[in-house]
Amino acid sequence: MSRRAEIVISLFDRTGNMVAPWAAAGYHCYCVDLQHPVGETRHGNITFVGADVREWLPPFAAVKILFAFPPCTDVAASGARWFRDKGIGSLIRALQLFEASVRLAEWTRAPYLIENPVSTVATYWRKPDHIFDPCDFGGYLMPAGDAYTKRTCLWTGNGFVMPPPKRIAPTEGSRMHRLAPTTERANLRSATPKGFAQAVFEANHHNELAFSA
Ligand SMILES: C[S@@+](CC[C@H](N)C(=O)[O-])C[C@H]1O[C@@H](n2cnc3c(N)ncnc32)[C@H](O)[C@@H]1O
């Protein structure tokens, strides 16, 4: 059972990797993603919510921290050459999902991070606050893991503390590019690295800078 008054919110989160350390520490966590069964399904301290983030309202509770991983396929710089074919509508929809993340994050007044790959959001909105590779935080895992590179940007706010790196050698290189083109490929590619999740927990769970005003 959760034993903390504050909740943790993770938007566009299918795996729950990001909230796992918070759930283990007793926080009730909400992971919202269209791929979850419609409605709410509770597993221990994690409630998986099958809903569209644009229509979801958080429960009435103080928020400890918020994470968001909006889909990036239509804003990633790596796919820029497809923008013309996909049309401006897909670009608008992708930015709307990013904007929904910013709106909910600011509304909670809690520390937050919004994650995206190197993307055109940096041009349309503002430059990211941090950039990392999963291997930068591989040393937080026991045994060490996430020995791969995948350039990842973070937009952060409300007192979010970026953890210090514990870098390991990226012996797997850019393993994400080598994944077979299966239907699960997108999910595998976008799964939150567990070392990074652990690092963020360690840097922020004692952080009492969350707004009280
Ligand atoms: C880039 S992936 C992030 C995955 C995440 N890092 C994890 O570990 O599960 C984006 C996710 O957004 C979800 N998604 C796309 N549109 C959505 C929407 N309108 N509302 C809620 N989830 C959505 C997808 O199902 C996908 O799982």
Side-chain angles (χ1 to χ4, degrees), residues 31-43:
C31 292
V32 186
D33 196 294
L34 279 178
Q35 292 189 68
H36 298 312
V38 174
E40 296 190 351
T41 314
R42 185 155 179 178
H43 293 286

Side-chain angles (χ1 to χ4, degrees), residues 10-18 32-36 49-55 68-73 97 115-117 150 186-187 189-193:
S10 194
L11 307 171
F12 306 100
D13 190 338
R14 185 189 64 87
T15 62
N17 286 357
M18 194 69 209
V32 186
D33 196 294
L34 279 178
Q35 292 189 68
H36 298 312
V49 183
D52 189 320
V53 164
R54 290 167 297 185
E55 293 162 9
F69 306 86
C72 54
T73 34
L97 296 179
E115 186 254 41
N116 240 212
K150 183 186 179 214
N187 281 336
R189 266 184 68 78
S190 64
T192 303

